[in-house]
Amino acid sequence: MTDTNLIASRFDRLNQNQLALGAAVEELSNWVEQRGSADIAANVRAALETLDENLIFIRQGIAELTVAGSLGQE
């Protein structure tokens, strides 16, 4: 495995962790909202939008690293 592929693999794992944490926080915001704190839940969801906005760039970076690693093996 090339260094570039290793880096892409590590970033992919970090991305998976980010998605899992985002899902967990979303569940907590649902729980908070059900207990009457709609304002707090809305604030949490607004903060989570940053994760969604960055997801495209993270995936693009992983794909570029993967391609670069594949080209390096030829």
Side-chain angles (χ1 to χ4, degrees):
M1 179 177 277
T2 66
D3 288 342
T4 306
N5 283 341
L6 183 59
I7 292 168
S9 176
R10 299 287 162 91
F11 276 121
D12 185 51
R13 292 292 182 122
L14 286 170
N15 186 48
Q16 289 176 24
N17 288 346
Q18 180 175 331
L19 291 171
L21 287 169
V25 171
E26 179 72 27
E27 287 293 322
L28 289 171
S29 72
N30 291 341
W31 182 81
V32 166
E33 186 174 47
Q34 290 171 357
R35 279 146 185 81
S37 297
D39 291 343
I40 293 172
N43 290 341
V44 170
R45 288 190 187 105
L48 288 173
E49 287 179 16
T50 302
L51 295 179
D52 291 337
E53 292 167 2
N54 289 328
L55 182 61
I56 295 167
F57 298 103
I58 292 169
R59 287 185 176 163
Q60 182 179 358
I62 292 168
E64 290 173 6
L65 284 169
T66 301
V67 169
S70 297
L71 294 176
Q73 292 179 351
E74 294 177 1

Short mmCIF file of all heavy atoms in Angstrom, two decimals:
data_model
loop_
_atom_site.label_atom_id
_atom_site.label_comp_id
_atom_site.label_asym_id
_atom_site.label_seq_id
_atom_site.Cartn_x
_atom_site.Cartn_y
_atom_site.Cartn_z
N MET A 1 0.85 -1.18 0.00
CA MET A 1 0.00 0.00 0.00
C MET A 1 0.90 1.24 0.00
O MET A 1 1.81 1.35 0.81
CB MET A 1 -0.91 -0.02 1.23
CG MET A 1 -1.83 1.18 1.33
SD MET A 1 -2.96 1.12 2.74
CE MET A 1 -4.26 0.11 2.07
N THR A 2 0.64 2.16 -0.92
CA THR A 2 1.45 3.37 -0.99
C THR A 2 1.08 4.31 0.15
O THR A 2 0.03 4.18 0.77
CB THR A 2 1.23 4.10 -2.33
OG1 THR A 2 -0.13 4.58 -2.36
CG2 THR A 2 1.49 3.20 -3.52
N ASP A 3 1.96 5.27 0.39
CA ASP A 3 1.69 6.27 1.43
C ASP A 3 0.40 7.02 1.13
O ASP A 3 -0.38 7.31 2.03
CB ASP A 3 2.85 7.25 1.54
CG ASP A 3 4.08 6.63 2.18
OD1 ASP A 3 3.95 5.58 2.84
OD2 ASP A 3 5.17 7.21 2.03
N THR A 4 0.17 7.33 -0.15
CA THR A 4 -1.03 8.07 -0.54
C THR A 4 -2.28 7.24 -0.26
O THR A 4 -3.28 7.75 0.24
CB THR A 4 -0.96 8.45 -2.02
OG1 THR A 4 0.25 9.16 -2.27
CG2 THR A 4 -2.13 9.33 -2.42
N ASN A 5 -2.22 5.95 -0.57
CA ASN A 5 -3.37 5.08 -0.28
C ASN A 5 -3.60 4.96 1.22
O ASN A 5 -4.74 4.91 1.68
CB ASN A 5 -3.18 3.70 -0.89
CG ASN A 5 -3.42 3.68 -2.38
OD1 ASN A 5 -4.05 4.57 -2.92
ND2 ASN A 5 -2.91 2.66 -3.04
N LEU A 6 -2.53 4.91 1.98
CA LEU A 6 -2.64 4.82 3.42
C LEU A 6 -3.29 6.09 3.98
O LEU A 6 -4.18 6.03 4.84
CB LEU A 6 -1.28 4.60 4.06
CG LEU A 6 -1.24 4.44 5.58
CD1 LEU A 6 -2.09 3.24 6.00
CD2 LEU A 6 0.19 4.27 6.05
N ILE A 7 -2.88 7.24 3.47
CA ILE A 7 -3.46 8.51 3.90
C ILE A 7 -4.94 8.55 3.53
O ILE A 7 -5.79 8.94 4.35
CB ILE A 7 -2.69 9.69 3.29
CG1 ILE A 7 -1.29 9.77 3.89
CG2 ILE A 7 -3.45 11.00 3.50
CD1 ILE A 7 -0.36 10.72 3.16
N ALA A 8 -5.29 8.13 2.32
CA ALA A 8 -6.69 8.10 1.88
C ALA A 8 -7.51 7.19 2.79
O ALA A 8 -8.63 7.53 3.18
CB ALA A 8 -6.79 7.65 0.43
N SER A 9 -6.94 6.05 3.15
CA SER A 9 -7.63 5.11 4.03
C SER A 9 -7.87 5.72 5.40
O SER A 9 -8.95 5.58 5.99
CB SER A 9 -6.80 3.83 4.16
OG SER A 9 -7.39 2.95 5.07
N ARG A 10 -6.88 6.42 5.91
CA ARG A 10 -7.02 7.07 7.23
C ARG A 10 -8.07 8.17 7.18
O ARG A 10 -8.89 8.31 8.09
CB ARG A 10 -5.68 7.65 7.69
CG ARG A 10 -4.60 6.61 7.86
CD ARG A 10 -4.85 5.77 9.12
NE ARG A 10 -4.12 4.54 9.11
CZ ARG A 10 -2.91 4.35 9.60
NH1 ARG A 10 -2.28 5.33 10.16
NH2 ARG A 10 -2.34 3.16 9.54
N PHE A 11 -8.06 8.97 6.11
CA PHE A 11 -9.07 10.02 5.98
C PHE A 11 -10.47 9.43 5.84
O PHE A 11 -11.44 9.99 6.35
CB PHE A 11 -8.77 10.94 4.80
CG PHE A 11 -7.80 12.03 5.12
CD1 PHE A 11 -6.61 12.14 4.43
CD2 PHE A 11 -8.06 12.94 6.13
CE1 PHE A 11 -5.70 13.15 4.72
CE2 PHE A 11 -7.16 13.95 6.44
CZ PHE A 11 -5.98 14.05 5.73
N ASP A 12 -10.57 8.30 5.17
CA ASP A 12 -11.87 7.63 5.04
C ASP A 12 -12.38 7.20 6.41
O ASP A 12 -13.56 7.38 6.72
CB ASP A 12 -11.76 6.42 4.11
CG ASP A 12 -13.10 5.79 3.85
OD1 ASP A 12 -14.05 6.52 3.48
OD2 ASP A 12 -13.22 4.56 4.02
N ARG A 13 -11.50 6.66 7.24
CA ARG A 13 -11.90 6.28 8.60
C ARG A 13 -12.32 7.49 9.42
O ARG A 13 -13.30 7.45 10.15
CB ARG A 13 -10.75 5.55 9.31
CG ARG A 13 -10.43 4.19 8.76
CD ARG A 13 -11.57 3.23 9.03
NE ARG A 13 -11.25 1.92 8.54
CZ ARG A 13 -11.22 0.83 9.28
NH1 ARG A 13 -11.53 0.90 10.56
NH2 ARG A 13 -10.91 -0.31 8.74
N LEU A 14 -11.58 8.59 9.29
CA LEU A 14 -11.94 9.81 10.00
C LEU A 14 -13.31 10.32 9.53
O LEU A 14 -14.13 10.77 10.33
CB LEU A 14 -10.88 10.89 9.79
CG LEU A 14 -9.57 10.70 10.54
CD1 LEU A 14 -8.53 11.70 10.05
CD2 LEU A 14 -9.79 10.85 12.04
N ASN A 15 -13.55 10.21 8.24
CA ASN A 15 -14.84 10.61 7.68
C ASN A 15 -15.96 9.74 8.24
O ASN A 15 -17.04 10.23 8.60
CB ASN A 15 -14.81 10.54 6.16
CG ASN A 15 -16.06 11.08 5.53
OD1 ASN A 15 -16.53 12.16 5.88
ND2 ASN A 15 -16.61 10.34 4.60
N GLN A 16 -15.72 8.44 8.35
CA GLN A 16 -16.72 7.54 8.92
C GLN A 16 -17.00 7.91 10.37
O GLN A 16 -18.16 7.89 10.81
CB GLN A 16 -16.25 6.09 8.82
CG GLN A 16 -16.25 5.54 7.41
CD GLN A 16 -15.67 4.14 7.34
OE1 GLN A 16 -15.67 3.41 8.32
NE2 GLN A 16 -15.17 3.77 6.20
N ASN A 17 -15.96 8.24 11.11
CA ASN A 17 -16.14 8.67 12.50
C ASN A 17 -16.96 9.95 12.57
O ASN A 17 -17.84 10.08 13.43
CB ASN A 17 -14.78 8.90 13.17
CG ASN A 17 -14.05 7.62 13.46
OD1 ASN A 17 -14.62 6.54 13.42
ND2 ASN A 17 -12.78 7.74 13.75
N GLN A 18 -16.68 10.88 11.68
CA GLN A 18 -17.42 12.14 11.66
C GLN A 18 -18.90 11.89 11.38
O GLN A 18 -19.77 12.48 12.02
CB GLN A 18 -16.82 13.06 10.60
CG GLN A 18 -17.51 14.40 10.50
CD GLN A 18 -16.80 15.33 9.53
OE1 GLN A 18 -15.60 15.25 9.33
NE2 GLN A 18 -17.55 16.21 8.92
N LEU A 19 -19.19 11.01 10.44
CA LEU A 19 -20.58 10.69 10.12
C LEU A 19 -21.29 10.02 11.31
O LEU A 19 -22.44 10.33 11.62
CB LEU A 19 -20.65 9.79 8.89
CG LEU A 19 -20.24 10.44 7.57
CD1 LEU A 19 -20.14 9.39 6.47
CD2 LEU A 19 -21.20 11.54 7.19
N ALA A 20 -20.58 9.13 11.98
CA ALA A 20 -21.16 8.45 13.13
C ALA A 20 -21.43 9.43 14.28
O ALA A 20 -22.50 9.38 14.91
CB ALA A 20 -20.24 7.32 13.61
N LEU A 21 -20.49 10.31 14.53
CA LEU A 21 -20.69 11.32 15.57
C LEU A 21 -21.84 12.26 15.21
O LEU A 21 -22.65 12.61 16.08
CB LEU A 21 -19.41 12.12 15.80
CG LEU A 21 -18.30 11.38 16.52
CD1 LEU A 21 -17.00 12.18 16.45
CD2 LEU A 21 -18.68 11.12 17.96
N GLY A 22 -21.92 12.64 13.96
CA GLY A 22 -23.02 13.50 13.52
C GLY A 22 -24.36 12.82 13.72
O GLY A 22 -25.33 13.46 14.18
N ALA A 23 -24.45 11.54 13.40
CA ALA A 23 -25.70 10.79 13.58
C ALA A 23 -26.07 10.70 15.06
O ALA A 23 -27.24 10.85 15.44
CB ALA A 23 -25.58 9.40 12.97
N ALA A 24 -25.07 10.47 15.90
CA ALA A 24 -25.33 10.37 17.34
C ALA A 24 -25.81 11.70 17.90
O ALA A 24 -26.76 11.74 18.69
CB ALA A 24 -24.06 9.92 18.07
N VAL A 25 -25.18 12.79 17.48
CA VAL A 25 -25.59 14.11 17.96
C VAL A 25 -26.99 14.44 17.45
O VAL A 25 -27.80 15.05 18.17
CB VAL A 25 -24.55 15.18 17.54
CG1 VAL A 25 -25.05 16.58 17.83
CG2 VAL A 25 -23.23 14.93 18.25
N GLU A 26 -27.30 14.04 16.23
CA GLU A 26 -28.65 14.26 15.70
C GLU A 26 -29.68 13.53 16.55
O GLU A 26 -30.75 14.07 16.86
CB GLU A 26 -28.72 13.78 14.25
CG GLU A 26 -30.09 13.93 13.61
CD GLU A 26 -30.46 15.37 13.29
OE1 GLU A 26 -29.56 16.19 13.09
OE2 GLU A 26 -31.67 15.67 13.25
N GLU A 27 -29.37 12.31 16.94
CA GLU A 27 -30.28 11.55 17.82
C GLU A 27 -30.48 12.28 19.15
O GLU A 27 -31.59 12.37 19.67
CB GLU A 27 -29.75 10.14 18.07
CG GLU A 27 -29.87 9.21 16.89
CD GLU A 27 -31.31 8.88 16.56
OE1 GLU A 27 -32.14 8.71 17.49
OE2 GLU A 27 -31.62 8.80 15.36
N LEU A 28 -29.40 12.80 19.70
CA LEU A 28 -29.50 13.56 20.95
C LEU A 28 -30.34 14.82 20.77
O LEU A 28 -31.13 15.18 21.66
CB LEU A 28 -28.12 13.91 21.47
CG LEU A 28 -27.30 12.74 22.02
CD1 LEU A 28 -25.88 13.18 22.30
CD2 LEU A 28 -27.95 12.17 23.26
N SER A 29 -30.19 15.48 19.64
CA SER A 29 -30.99 16.69 19.41
C SER A 29 -32.47 16.34 19.28
O SER A 29 -33.33 17.10 19.75
CB SER A 29 -30.50 17.46 18.18
OG SER A 29 -30.82 16.80 16.99
N ASN A 30 -32.78 15.20 18.69
CA ASN A 30 -34.18 14.74 18.63
C ASN A 30 -34.73 14.50 20.04
O ASN A 30 -35.86 14.88 20.36
CB ASN A 30 -34.31 13.46 17.81
CG ASN A 30 -34.04 13.68 16.34
OD1 ASN A 30 -34.11 14.80 15.84
ND2 ASN A 30 -33.71 12.61 15.64
N TRP A 31 -33.92 13.88 20.88
CA TRP A 31 -34.31 13.59 22.25
C TRP A 31 -34.54 14.89 23.03
O TRP A 31 -35.52 15.03 23.75
CB TRP A 31 -33.22 12.74 22.91
CG TRP A 31 -33.49 12.31 24.30
CD1 TRP A 31 -34.26 11.26 24.71
CD2 TRP A 31 -32.97 12.91 25.50
NE1 TRP A 31 -34.25 11.18 26.07
CE2 TRP A 31 -33.47 12.17 26.59
CE3 TRP A 31 -32.13 13.99 25.74
CZ2 TRP A 31 -33.17 12.50 27.90
CZ3 TRP A 31 -31.82 14.31 27.05
CH2 TRP A 31 -32.35 13.56 28.11
N VAL A 32 -33.65 15.85 22.85
CA VAL A 32 -33.78 17.14 23.52
C VAL A 32 -35.05 17.85 23.06
O VAL A 32 -35.80 18.41 23.86
CB VAL A 32 -32.53 18.01 23.25
CG1 VAL A 32 -32.75 19.46 23.63
CG2 VAL A 32 -31.32 17.45 23.99
N GLU A 33 -35.30 17.80 21.76
CA GLU A 33 -36.49 18.46 21.21
C GLU A 33 -37.78 17.84 21.75
O GLU A 33 -38.73 18.56 22.09
CB GLU A 33 -36.48 18.39 19.69
CG GLU A 33 -37.61 19.16 19.03
CD GLU A 33 -37.48 19.17 17.54
OE1 GLU A 33 -37.23 18.09 16.94
OE2 GLU A 33 -37.61 20.26 16.96
N GLN A 34 -37.80 16.52 21.88
CA GLN A 34 -38.98 15.84 22.42
C GLN A 34 -39.26 16.24 23.86
O GLN A 34 -40.38 16.12 24.33
CB GLN A 34 -38.79 14.32 22.33
CG GLN A 34 -38.83 13.78 20.92
CD GLN A 34 -38.41 12.32 20.86
OE1 GLN A 34 -38.04 11.71 21.86
NE2 GLN A 34 -38.45 11.75 19.66
N ARG A 35 -38.26 16.72 24.53
CA ARG A 35 -38.42 17.12 25.92
C ARG A 35 -38.61 18.62 26.09
O ARG A 35 -38.49 19.16 27.17
CB ARG A 35 -37.23 16.62 26.75
CG ARG A 35 -37.42 15.15 27.09
CD ARG A 35 -36.14 14.37 27.15
NE ARG A 35 -36.41 12.95 27.36
CZ ARG A 35 -36.76 12.10 26.40
NH1 ARG A 35 -36.93 12.50 25.17
NH2 ARG A 35 -36.96 10.83 26.66
N GLY A 36 -38.94 19.28 24.98
CA GLY A 36 -39.35 20.66 25.06
C GLY A 36 -38.31 21.72 24.78
O GLY A 36 -38.58 22.90 24.94
N SER A 37 -37.11 21.32 24.37
CA SER A 37 -36.06 22.31 24.11
C SER A 37 -35.82 22.44 22.60
O SER A 37 -34.75 22.13 22.09
CB SER A 37 -34.77 21.91 24.82
OG SER A 37 -34.95 21.92 26.21
N ALA A 38 -36.84 22.92 21.92
CA ALA A 38 -36.77 23.03 20.46
C ALA A 38 -35.67 23.99 20.02
O ALA A 38 -35.02 23.77 18.98
CB ALA A 38 -38.11 23.46 19.90
N ASP A 39 -35.45 25.07 20.78
CA ASP A 39 -34.42 26.04 20.41
C ASP A 39 -33.03 25.41 20.44
O ASP A 39 -32.22 25.63 19.53
CB ASP A 39 -34.44 27.25 21.35
CG ASP A 39 -35.68 28.10 21.17
OD1 ASP A 39 -36.34 27.97 20.12
OD2 ASP A 39 -35.97 28.90 22.07
N ILE A 40 -32.76 24.64 21.46
CA ILE A 40 -31.45 23.98 21.57
C ILE A 40 -31.29 22.97 20.45
O ILE A 40 -30.23 22.89 19.82
CB ILE A 40 -31.28 23.32 22.96
CG1 ILE A 40 -31.20 24.40 24.03
CG2 ILE A 40 -30.03 22.43 22.99
CD1 ILE A 40 -31.22 23.88 25.44
N ALA A 41 -32.33 22.20 20.18
CA ALA A 41 -32.28 21.20 19.10
C ALA A 41 -32.02 21.88 17.76
O ALA A 41 -31.22 21.39 16.96
CB ALA A 41 -33.57 20.40 19.06
N ALA A 42 -32.64 23.02 17.53
CA ALA A 42 -32.43 23.74 16.28
C ALA A 42 -30.99 24.24 16.18
O ALA A 42 -30.38 24.19 15.10
CB ALA A 42 -33.40 24.91 16.17
N ASN A 43 -30.44 24.71 17.28
CA ASN A 43 -29.04 25.16 17.29
C ASN A 43 -28.08 24.01 16.98
O ASN A 43 -27.11 24.17 16.25
CB ASN A 43 -28.68 25.77 18.65
CG ASN A 43 -29.37 27.10 18.88
OD1 ASN A 43 -29.84 27.74 17.96
ND2 ASN A 43 -29.43 27.50 20.14
N VAL A 44 -28.37 22.85 17.55
CA VAL A 44 -27.53 21.67 17.30
C VAL A 44 -27.61 21.29 15.82
O VAL A 44 -26.58 21.04 15.18
CB VAL A 44 -27.96 20.49 18.19
CG1 VAL A 44 -27.27 19.21 17.77
CG2 VAL A 44 -27.67 20.79 19.65
N ARG A 45 -28.80 21.28 15.27
CA ARG A 45 -28.96 20.92 13.86
C ARG A 45 -28.26 21.92 12.94
O ARG A 45 -27.67 21.54 11.93
CB ARG A 45 -30.43 20.79 13.51
CG ARG A 45 -31.05 19.56 14.12
CD ARG A 45 -32.44 19.29 13.59
NE ARG A 45 -33.02 18.19 14.35
CZ ARG A 45 -33.95 18.35 15.28
NH1 ARG A 45 -34.44 19.54 15.57
NH2 ARG A 45 -34.42 17.30 15.93
N ALA A 46 -28.31 23.19 13.32
CA ALA A 46 -27.61 24.21 12.53
C ALA A 46 -26.10 23.96 12.55
O ALA A 46 -25.42 24.09 11.53
CB ALA A 46 -27.93 25.60 13.06
N ALA A 47 -25.58 23.59 13.71
CA ALA A 47 -24.14 23.28 13.81
C ALA A 47 -23.79 22.04 13.00
O ALA A 47 -22.71 21.96 12.40
CB ALA A 47 -23.76 23.09 15.28
N LEU A 48 -24.70 21.08 12.95
CA LEU A 48 -24.44 19.85 12.19
C LEU A 48 -24.42 20.10 10.69
O LEU A 48 -23.85 19.30 9.93
CB LEU A 48 -25.50 18.79 12.53
CG LEU A 48 -25.38 18.15 13.90
CD1 LEU A 48 -26.58 17.24 14.16
CD2 LEU A 48 -24.08 17.37 14.04
N GLU A 49 -25.00 21.19 10.24
CA GLU A 49 -24.98 21.51 8.81
C GLU A 49 -23.55 21.68 8.30
O GLU A 49 -23.26 21.38 7.15
CB GLU A 49 -25.80 22.77 8.53
CG GLU A 49 -27.29 22.55 8.64
CD GLU A 49 -28.09 23.81 8.38
OE1 GLU A 49 -27.53 24.79 7.84
OE2 GLU A 49 -29.27 23.82 8.74
N THR A 50 -22.66 22.11 9.17
CA THR A 50 -21.25 22.25 8.78
C THR A 50 -20.68 20.90 8.38
O THR A 50 -19.92 20.80 7.41
CB THR A 50 -20.43 22.85 9.93
OG1 THR A 50 -20.99 24.12 10.27
CG2 THR A 50 -18.98 23.03 9.55
N LEU A 51 -21.05 19.85 9.11
CA LEU A 51 -20.58 18.51 8.74
C LEU A 51 -21.07 18.14 7.35
O LEU A 51 -20.30 17.60 6.54
CB LEU A 51 -21.08 17.47 9.76
CG LEU A 51 -20.57 17.57 11.18
CD1 LEU A 51 -21.20 16.48 12.04
CD2 LEU A 51 -19.07 17.49 11.23
N ASP A 52 -22.34 18.42 7.09
CA ASP A 52 -22.90 18.08 5.78
C ASP A 52 -22.24 18.89 4.67
O ASP A 52 -21.97 18.35 3.59
CB ASP A 52 -24.41 18.33 5.77
CG ASP A 52 -25.17 17.34 6.63
OD1 ASP A 52 -24.65 16.24 6.89
OD2 ASP A 52 -26.30 17.67 7.05
N GLU A 53 -22.00 20.17 4.93
CA GLU A 53 -21.37 21.02 3.91
C GLU A 53 -19.96 20.56 3.58
O GLU A 53 -19.53 20.62 2.43
CB GLU A 53 -21.35 22.47 4.39
CG GLU A 53 -22.72 23.10 4.48
CD GLU A 53 -22.73 24.41 5.24
OE1 GLU A 53 -21.65 24.87 5.67
OE2 GLU A 53 -23.83 24.98 5.40
N ASN A 54 -19.23 20.09 4.57
CA ASN A 54 -17.85 19.66 4.35
C ASN A 54 -17.74 18.25 3.80
O ASN A 54 -16.69 17.86 3.30
CB ASN A 54 -17.06 19.77 5.64
CG ASN A 54 -16.81 21.21 6.02
OD1 ASN A 54 -16.68 22.07 5.18
ND2 ASN A 54 -16.75 21.48 7.32
N LEU A 55 -18.81 17.48 3.87
CA LEU A 55 -18.77 16.09 3.43
C LEU A 55 -18.35 15.96 1.97
O LEU A 55 -17.55 15.09 1.62
CB LEU A 55 -20.14 15.44 3.65
CG LEU A 55 -20.28 13.97 3.29
CD1 LEU A 55 -19.31 13.14 4.13
CD2 LEU A 55 -21.69 13.50 3.52
N ILE A 56 -18.87 16.81 1.11
CA ILE A 56 -18.53 16.75 -0.32
C ILE A 56 -17.02 16.93 -0.51
O ILE A 56 -16.39 16.17 -1.26
CB ILE A 56 -19.30 17.83 -1.10
CG1 ILE A 56 -20.80 17.54 -1.05
CG2 ILE A 56 -18.81 17.93 -2.54
CD1 ILE A 56 -21.67 18.69 -1.52
N PHE A 57 -16.45 17.90 0.17
CA PHE A 57 -15.02 18.18 0.01
C PHE A 57 -14.16 17.06 0.59
O PHE A 57 -13.11 16.72 0.03
CB PHE A 57 -14.68 19.52 0.66
CG PHE A 57 -15.39 20.67 0.01
CD1 PHE A 57 -16.48 21.25 0.62
CD2 PHE A 57 -14.99 21.16 -1.22
CE1 PHE A 57 -17.16 22.31 0.03
CE2 PHE A 57 -15.66 22.20 -1.83
CZ PHE A 57 -16.75 22.80 -1.20
N ILE A 58 -14.60 16.50 1.68
CA ILE A 58 -13.86 15.38 2.29
C ILE A 58 -13.85 14.19 1.35
O ILE A 58 -12.80 13.60 1.09
CB ILE A 58 -14.46 15.02 3.66
CG1 ILE A 58 -14.22 16.15 4.66
CG2 ILE A 58 -13.87 13.70 4.17
CD1 ILE A 58 -14.99 16.00 5.95
N ARG A 59 -15.02 13.85 0.82
CA ARG A 59 -15.10 12.71 -0.11
C ARG A 59 -14.29 12.96 -1.37
O ARG A 59 -13.64 12.05 -1.88
CB ARG A 59 -16.55 12.42 -0.44
CG ARG A 59 -17.28 11.78 0.70
CD ARG A 59 -18.68 11.39 0.32
NE ARG A 59 -19.33 10.68 1.42
CZ ARG A 59 -20.63 10.51 1.50
NH1 ARG A 59 -21.43 10.96 0.57
NH2 ARG A 59 -21.15 9.85 2.51
N GLN A 60 -14.31 14.19 -1.87
CA GLN A 60 -13.53 14.52 -3.05
C GLN A 60 -12.04 14.36 -2.76
O GLN A 60 -11.30 13.82 -3.57
CB GLN A 60 -13.83 15.95 -3.50
CG GLN A 60 -13.10 16.36 -4.76
CD GLN A 60 -13.44 17.77 -5.18
OE1 GLN A 60 -14.25 18.45 -4.57
NE2 GLN A 60 -12.80 18.22 -6.24
N GLY A 61 -11.61 14.82 -1.60
CA GLY A 61 -10.20 14.67 -1.23
C GLY A 61 -9.79 13.22 -1.12
O GLY A 61 -8.70 12.84 -1.57
N ILE A 62 -10.64 12.40 -0.53
CA ILE A 62 -10.34 10.97 -0.41
C ILE A 62 -10.23 10.34 -1.79
O ILE A 62 -9.32 9.56 -2.06
CB ILE A 62 -11.41 10.26 0.45
CG1 ILE A 62 -11.32 10.74 1.90
CG2 ILE A 62 -11.25 8.74 0.37
CD1 ILE A 62 -12.50 10.32 2.77
N ALA A 63 -11.16 10.70 -2.69
CA ALA A 63 -11.13 10.15 -4.05
C ALA A 63 -9.85 10.57 -4.78
O ALA A 63 -9.22 9.74 -5.45
CB ALA A 63 -12.36 10.62 -4.82
N GLU A 64 -9.46 11.82 -4.62
CA GLU A 64 -8.24 12.30 -5.28
C GLU A 64 -7.00 11.60 -4.74
O GLU A 64 -6.10 11.24 -5.50
CB GLU A 64 -8.11 13.82 -5.13
CG GLU A 64 -9.15 14.58 -5.94
CD GLU A 64 -9.14 16.07 -5.68
OE1 GLU A 64 -8.26 16.56 -4.93
OE2 GLU A 64 -10.04 16.75 -6.21
N LEU A 65 -6.95 11.39 -3.44
CA LEU A 65 -5.83 10.67 -2.86
C LEU A 65 -5.79 9.22 -3.35
O LEU A 65 -4.72 8.68 -3.63
CB LEU A 65 -5.90 10.70 -1.33
CG LEU A 65 -5.51 12.00 -0.66
CD1 LEU A 65 -5.89 11.97 0.82
CD2 LEU A 65 -4.02 12.26 -0.81
N THR A 66 -6.96 8.61 -3.45
CA THR A 66 -7.03 7.22 -3.91
C THR A 66 -6.54 7.12 -5.35
O THR A 66 -5.76 6.21 -5.69
CB THR A 66 -8.48 6.70 -3.79
OG1 THR A 66 -8.88 6.79 -2.42
CG2 THR A 66 -8.59 5.25 -4.24
N VAL A 67 -6.97 8.04 -6.21
CA VAL A 67 -6.52 8.04 -7.60
C VAL A 67 -5.02 8.28 -7.67
O VAL A 67 -4.30 7.59 -8.41
CB VAL A 67 -7.29 9.10 -8.42
CG1 VAL A 67 -6.66 9.31 -9.79
CG2 VAL A 67 -8.75 8.69 -8.58
N ALA A 68 -4.53 9.25 -6.91
CA ALA A 68 -3.09 9.54 -6.91
C ALA A 68 -2.29 8.32 -6.46
O ALA A 68 -1.23 8.03 -7.00
CB ALA A 68 -2.80 10.74 -6.02
N GLY A 69 -2.80 7.61 -5.47
CA GLY A 69 -2.13 6.40 -4.99
C GLY A 69 -2.12 5.31 -6.04
O GLY A 69 -1.14 4.59 -6.20
N SER A 70 -3.23 5.20 -6.77
CA SER A 70 -3.31 4.19 -7.84
C SER A 70 -2.35 4.51 -8.96
O SER A 70 -1.73 3.62 -9.53
CB SER A 70 -4.74 4.13 -8.40
OG SER A 70 -5.63 3.71 -7.38
N LEU A 71 -2.22 5.79 -9.30
CA LEU A 71 -1.30 6.18 -10.37
C LEU A 71 0.15 5.95 -9.96
O LEU A 71 0.99 5.63 -10.79
CB LEU A 71 -1.52 7.65 -10.72
CG LEU A 71 -2.86 8.01 -11.35
CD1 LEU A 71 -2.97 9.51 -11.54
CD2 LEU A 71 -3.07 7.28 -12.67
N GLY A 72 0.41 6.10 -8.67
CA GLY A 72 1.77 5.90 -8.17
C GLY A 72 2.22 4.46 -8.21
O GLY A 72 3.41 4.16 -8.15
N GLN A 73 1.28 3.51 -8.30
CA GLN A 73 1.62 2.10 -8.30
C GLN A 73 1.96 1.60 -9.69
O GLN A 73 2.47 0.50 -9.83
CB GLN A 73 0.45 1.27 -7.74
CG GLN A 73 0.23 1.50 -6.27
CD GLN A 73 -0.94 0.68 -5.74
OE1 GLN A 73 -1.70 0.06 -6.50
NE2 GLN A 73 -1.10 0.67 -4.44
N GLU A 74 1.66 2.37 -10.68
CA GLU A 74 1.90 1.91 -12.06
C GLU A 74 3.35 1.98 -12.43
O GLU A 74 4.17 2.64 -11.96
CB GLU A 74 1.07 2.75 -13.05
CG GLU A 74 -0.41 2.52 -12.85
CD GLU A 74 -1.24 3.41 -13.77
OE1 GLU A 74 -0.67 4.18 -14.56
OE2 GLU A 74 -2.46 3.32 -13.70
#
